[in-house]
Amino acid sequence: MSEIPGRNRRDQRREDRGERRDERHRLDQPRDPRRALRPARRDFDSDRFGRFAEGFARFMGTATFLAWMTGFITVWIIWNVPYGLDRPRFDSYPFIFLTLMLSLQASYAAPLILLAQNRQEARDRVQQEQDRQADAQSHADMEFLAREVAGLRLGLGEVATRDFIRSELRDLTEAIERTDESPPQDQSGHPD
């Protein structure tokens, strides 16, 4: 089956089934006798069963399930005890049938719960890998930014700051004022 770009596998399978269906209904071609003996292949969605197992495991871990199960067992025992009104009892005192039903429920519940845990573990593994990649990218970004900030600090070390310029201007104005206040001197260096 060739994959067509831009289409997913499900669409491709539907298209292929449609082509096979058209081939089966052609009247100008004889039918394949082996094809008639084989049942039609159904596509099995393994993810659907996994979702069911997760839902079942999720329900079994709730207080609702425990309440319903406790109520069911209590009613079962009360109905089947040899005391009280005369009624048809289908499971007498050792409650063998109840034990069998609970064992059957546990034998199905355990693999379903394990399947749900395995699916969760696979999702957690993918999430951990994505988190690890995101952490590595964040670490690389932080190192880059730290290098950039260090470069800016080095560059700013050579740049005059506002306070430095102000102090230099103040010193220059004081020097100019001092020269204005002093008497003019002639070329020889003696005052007039």
Side-chain angles (χ1 to χ4, degrees), residues 130-146:
Q130 289 174 348
D131 290 346
R132 188 193 64 74
Q133 290 173 354
D135 287 345
Q137 182 63 40
S138 296
H139 185 68
D141 290 345
M142 283 189 290
E143 284 181 352
F144 171 76
L145 290 174

Side-chain angles (χ1 to χ4, degrees), residues 33-53:
R34 291 174 293 162
R35 176 86 177 145
L37 297 177
R38 281 185 278 155
R41 183 177 160 265
R42 299 277 183 210
D43 290 332
F44 180 72
D45 185 14
S46 61
D47 201 38
R48 180 183 298 169
F49 187 72
R51 288 190 305 266
F52 166 75

Side-chain angles (χ1 to χ4, degrees), residues 1-2 11-21:
M1 171 172 38
S2 65
D11 291 341
Q12 184 69 32
R13 282 183 285 192
R14 284 181 187 153
E15 200 170 280
D16 290 344
R17 280 194 306 251
E19 290 172 6
R20 281 185 269 154
R21 189 177 302 121

